[in-house]
Amino acid sequence: MLSNSLDVAKCAIKMAISSREEEEILKIELRKRGVLATAVNIGGNINESTLKILESTLVAAKRSGVIRDEHIHEGAVVGAARDALMEVWNRASGLSVGGKVGIARKGQHLTVCIFLSVGLLHLNEVVIGLGHRAIPE
């Protein structure tokens, strides 16, 4: 049974690396185990897209019911997403990125995972970042 922040982080990572088809199946499987999860595609120049990534992450979490429409929940998602972005920032700064944000929550544990392909001509690098917050149930 999933119960700690490490388990929830694994779920967020799985959501971020899943294809669209896998994502829907994974959401159903995770929900059966008590995990609320969703994902959203992102892309663009990382410097110009940061605000859009944070907004998209928040909207996805609210629409899918991963978090409630409450200030503390919204702040937790944005804070965790910002932490995840900071982990990938050095490798992606000034470059075009494409990827996905995975969000997972069980109980008080909320994790946001950002999985990106960073493009530079024909050379692509893959980066991943995680952010975690504890929120009231």
Side-chain angles (χ1 to χ4, degrees), residues 40-56:
V40 62
N41 291 331
I42 56 173
N45 180 294
I46 192 82
N47 296 354
E48 299 165 6
S49 301
T50 299
L51 182 58
K52 180 74 172 151
I53 292 168
L54 294 174
E55 289 173 348
S56 295

Side-chain angles (χ1 to χ4, degrees), residues 57-127:
T57 303
L58 178 58
V59 168
K62 286 171 70 173
R63 278 190 184 160
S64 65
V66 172
I67 62 164
R68 294 190 301 263
D69 190 12
E70 296 178 10
H71 183 72
I72 196 162
H73 283 225
E74 293 171 356
V77 168
V78 171
R82 189 172 183 280
D83 284 354
L85 270 172
M86 292 301 104
E87 288 189 25
V88 300
W89 187 265
N90 284 339
R91 290 204 168 142
S93 184
L95 301 172
S96 292
V97 300
K100 200 169 183 181
V101 178
I103 309 157
R105 175 179 172 218
K106 180 166 184 183
Q108 296 180 347
H109 299 288
L110 170 77
T111 301
V112 174
C113 175
I114 297 180
F115 181 73
L116 297 174
S117 172
V118 180
L120 178 62
L121 298 172
H122 64 283
L123 306 170
N124 286 326
E125 185 170 3
V126 177
V127 295

